[in-house]
């Protein structure tokens, strides 16, 4: 792994997140029972695992297409090969609180002339688009488990607030006006921060122009529906008797619960929510734990592995004029 690209706090965060994840999954596997995990993996088989990984690749590919659209909306036509490598490299640090480590893409994109504020705006736009898609998946199966309504309603309120913030010029204008420094003002740092936020919002608003909203949401829905479909297939192979709407709800609801836990990539929170929903569905505890581990290995940890590979193969592109 290139120390020049992953160094300092990023390297320590990466190692800590991997260690915590490995320890957590080992404990989780022991609690659920290693024989049950092995039996579940045997039922899935090589063909099943290949299909699940292919659906995860489809998820990453569609989200990358959306990422390219965001960059172009801000005036950056980054070559797709370099951009794809950088996008995947961001997954190496996805196991950080709020996936903040994915901001590593900004460090790499800066070498191609993309300002940090623009890459952060694209990352913020991604998070909002993902949230909207996950809410749609949860609504698709909400009738299967109505007690999740408060969680979905809270996420919907947050998403609507985000859409309002990123589709209106007023918030950025207010922040920009307030950031104007005054002689002897003791709050210069806060005003400087407000100025940075105003510039970030203006760039994010470019990603949420009316002509981009529908295509971005369509890409997000298709991307996350692919992983929900992988979860549904997994449950069928394990004879869980779950319907497609329930699988979509369990996958989306667990993601929302993981996000609200504010833990790195929802580690622990998402797994607990998913196991609880599968137990309610009637799965045996060991089988529910095995299903949860397998879907996380073929989605989250597969992405981390691809990110590490992409980061390791990066040769650090030279800066170009924007």
């Amino acid at each position: 792994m290139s120390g020049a690209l992953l160094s300092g706090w990023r390297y320590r965060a990466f190692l800590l997140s991997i260690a915590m994840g490995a320890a957590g999954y080992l404990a989780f596997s022991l609690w659920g029972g290693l024989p049950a995990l092995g039996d579940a993996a045997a039922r899935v088989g090589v063909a099943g695992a290949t299909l699940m990984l292919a659906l995860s690749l489809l998820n990453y590919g569609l989200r990358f297409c959306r990422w390219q659209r965001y960059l172009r909306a801000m005036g950056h036509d980054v070559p797709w090969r370099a951009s794809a490598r950088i996008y995947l490299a961001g997954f190496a640090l996805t196991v950080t609180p709020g996936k903040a480590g994915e901001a590593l893409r900004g460090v790499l994109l800066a070498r191609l002339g993309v300002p940090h504020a623009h890459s952060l705006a694209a990352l913020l736009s991604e998070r909002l688009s993902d949230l909207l898609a996950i809410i749609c998946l949860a609504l698709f199966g909400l009738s299967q488990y109505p007690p999740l309504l408060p969680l979905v309603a809270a996420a919907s309120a947050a998403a609507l607030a985000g859409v309002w913030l990123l589709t209106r010029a007023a918030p950025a204008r207010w922040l920009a006006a307030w950031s104007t420094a005054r002689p002897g003002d003791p709050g210069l740092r806060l005003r400087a921060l407000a100025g940075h936020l105003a510039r970030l919002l203006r760039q994010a608003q470019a990603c949420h122009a009316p002509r981009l909203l529908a295509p971005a949401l369509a890409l997000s829905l298709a991307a996350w529906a692919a992983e929900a479909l992988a979860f549904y297939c997994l449950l069928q192979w394990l004879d869980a008797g779950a319907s497609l709407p329930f699988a979509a709800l369990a996958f989306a609801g667990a993601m929302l619960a993981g996000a609200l836990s504010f833990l790195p990539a929802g580690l622990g929170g998402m797994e607990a929510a998913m196991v609880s929903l599968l137990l309610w569905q009637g799965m045996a505890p060991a089988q529910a734990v095995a299903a949860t581990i397998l879907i996380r290995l073929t989605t989250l940890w597969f992405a981390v592995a691809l990110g590490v590979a992409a980061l390791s193969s990066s040769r650090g592109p030279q800066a170009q004029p924007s």
Side-chain angles (χ1 to χ4, degrees), residues 94-249:
T94 199
V95 190
T96 49
K99 297 185 178 181
E102 290 186 18
L104 170 67
R105 292 174 188 147
V107 177
L108 301 175
L109 283 171
R111 301 185 177 199
L112 295 175
V114 180
H116 289 291
H118 294 201
S119 56
L120 284 175
L123 185 62
L124 177 63
S125 301
E126 268 208 318
R127 291 293 167 269
L128 179 58
S129 186
D130 287 340
L131 178 59
L132 289 169
I134 294 301
I135 289 171
C136 290
L137 285 177
L139 289 173
F140 173 61
L142 190 58
S143 63
Q144 303 286 308
Y145 190 71
L148 275 182
L149 178 59
L151 176 62
V152 176
S156 300
L160 290 175
V163 170
W164 180 86
L165 185 66
L166 297 183
T167 55
R168 296 290 184 272
R173 188 169 59 247
W174 295 336
L175 283 170
W178 189 80
S179 67
T180 303
R182 295 174 176 81
D185 193 333
L188 287 179
R189 289 187 178 180
L190 284 178
R191 291 186 183 278
L193 177 60
H196 290 309
L197 288 176
R199 288 189 288 275
L200 177 63
L201 284 180
R202 286 197 182 101
Q203 293 304 322
Q205 285 163 5
C207 299
H208 290 81
R211 63 184 176 81
L212 291 175
L213 283 175
L217 182 57
L219 287 170
S220 302
L221 269 173
W224 291 110
E227 290 201 345
L229 178 60
F231 187 49
Y232 170 71
C233 292
L234 172 63
L235 294 181
Q236 299 311 300
W237 292 324
L238 299 183
D239 298 323
S243 65
L244 179 58
F246 176 80
L249 176 66

Side-chain angles (χ1 to χ4, degrees), residues 44-130:
V44 172
V46 174
T50 301
L51 175 60
M52 293 175 68
L53 293 175
L55 288 170
S56 289
L57 282 175
L58 177 60
N59 171 284
Y60 312 148
L62 291 172
R63 288 160 61 192
F64 168 68
C65 291
R66 181 189 60 187
W67 176 261
Q68 285 291 84
R69 282 177 168 267
Y70 288 151
L71 292 180
R72 290 195 190 102
M74 292 182 286
H76 304 291
D77 192 12
V78 183
W80 75 267
R81 287 183 184 275
S83 187
R85 186 179 67 246
I86 290 171
Y87 187 78
L88 287 175
F91 289 148
L93 290 178
T94 199
V95 190
T96 49
K99 297 185 178 181
E102 290 186 18
L104 170 67
R105 292 174 188 147
V107 177
L108 301 175
L109 283 171
R111 301 185 177 199
L112 295 175
V114 180
H116 289 291
H118 294 201
S119 56
L120 284 175
L123 185 62
L124 177 63
S125 301
E126 268 208 318
R127 291 293 167 269
L128 179 58
S129 186
D130 287 340

